[in-house]
Amino acid sequence: MTWSIVARDPATGAFGICVATRAFAVGARVPHLASGVGAIATQANTNALYGTRGLRLLRAGVPAADTVRLLIAADDGREHRQLHLQDVHGRSAAHTGARCVPWCGHAVHDGFSVAGNMLAGPQVIEQTARAYAAAASLPFPRRLIEALRAGEAAGGDKRGKQSAALKIYSTEEYPDFDFRVDDHAEPLAELARLEQVSRERFAYARLFSPRRDDPVGLTDFDEITRRVEALKAAEGT
């Protein structure tokens, strides 16, 4: 019983998912992403196989809409499920089962989608989408978090708050960001705090880690520090 945003950063091509709920450890089951493949959020009466099977389909070049169709066709519990996803070409698709707990629904926009169930009302989806569209000047991680915080301000999960997560993949087989708040009174506020802490070093130092095109990366600690400080100064952080 959850709401989430699935998006692709137009500046970098990175896929991202941000999700929040009144349930434990939402980041363990809902977000599924892969570099150069796509992103899937599976929620409501969650079927994690939608994530693993869905990524295999997307990796094989199956378009977003067909991936959704194939996943739900193979699942007799489809009417209790909700999922939305985006493929590597930027195509989005979604499914909200007829027996998901109300309020439930989804909205597909250019470059992103929002879906949720057991929400305070449709305004949660609307405000999440509106905030994301209005925050194009923010770095991608902050943009995703602020979108969910706008949805929370509009009522969020009607049962309350407990967990949240942010996961982003760009060029590598490992995530750029993978932050989880599994049990907290204010999970989205804590997620925002973790993202802010990441900008002290992590968000910049990761750029000098081993990568596909440079399997060694930068190993000189002092040089890493110098470059991190230069990036922070350039961004005013």
Side-chain angles (χ1 to χ4, degrees), residues 163-209:
S163 67
L166 171 73
K167 187 172 282 192
I168 295 174
Y169 275 72
S170 61
T171 61
E172 307 306 310
E173 294 181 4
Y174 56 84
D176 292 16
F177 297 93
D178 188 359
F179 302 152
R180 282 176 48 177
V181 179
D182 286 344
D183 185 27
H184 198 281
E186 294 291 342
L188 281 172
E190 176 64 7
L191 193 65
R193 187 190 70 83
L194 292 176
E195 191 280 327
Q196 183 177 18
V197 171
S198 81
R199 285 181 269 127
E200 294 176 4
R201 185 176 179 89
F202 174 87
Y204 303 99
R206 68 177 182 81
L207 300 173
F208 310 114
S209 298

Side-chain angles (χ1 to χ4, degrees), residues 22-208:
R22 176 61 172 92
F24 179 71
V26 70
R29 292 290 183 269
V30 169
H32 298 261
L33 306 90
S35 172
V37 176
I40 300 170
T42 170
Q43 52 201 50
N45 192 327
T46 305
N47 184 345
L49 296 176
Y50 281 4
T52 55
R53 291 173 177 169
L55 287 177
R56 286 200 296 270
L57 290 168
L58 293 177
R59 188 174 281 110
V62 178
D66 289 336
T67 295
V68 168
R69 178 179 57 79
L70 290 168
L71 289 173
I72 65 174
D75 179 15
D76 287 342
R78 68 184 74 88
E79 298 305 335
H80 300 269
R81 320 283 193 208
Q82 187 175 56
L83 80 153
H84 57 133
L85 58 84
Q86 188 171 140
D87 65 26
V88 71
H89 300 291
R91 298 170 296 206
S92 296
H95 163 77
T96 298
R99 300 187 68 180
C100 287
V101 180
W103 188 88
C104 58
H106 60 261
V108 175
H109 298 267
D110 184 18
F112 70 99
S113 59
V114 184
N117 60 95
M118 201 177 272
L119 301 181
Q123 72 275 9
V124 178
I125 298 295
E126 294 163 2
Q127 290 302 317
T128 300
R130 184 173 290 115
Y132 181 80
S137 62
L138 287 179
F140 193 43
R142 273 179 270 174
R143 188 180 182 187
L144 292 169
I145 294 172
E146 289 308 307
L148 264 286
R149 295 188 79 178
E152 180 177 81
D157 187 324
K158 64 184 178 183
R159 300 166 302 166
K161 314 167 190 177
Q162 187 171 3
S163 67
L166 171 73
K167 187 172 282 192
I168 295 174
Y169 275 72
S170 61
T171 61
E172 307 306 310
E173 294 181 4
Y174 56 84
D176 292 16
F177 297 93
D178 188 359
F179 302 152
R180 282 176 48 177
V181 179
D182 286 344
D183 185 27
H184 198 281
E186 294 291 342
L188 281 172
E190 176 64 7
L191 193 65
R193 187 190 70 83
L194 292 176
E195 191 280 327
Q196 183 177 18
V197 171
S198 81
R199 285 181 269 127
E200 294 176 4
R201 185 176 179 89
F202 174 87
Y204 303 99
R206 68 177 182 81
L207 300 173
F208 310 114

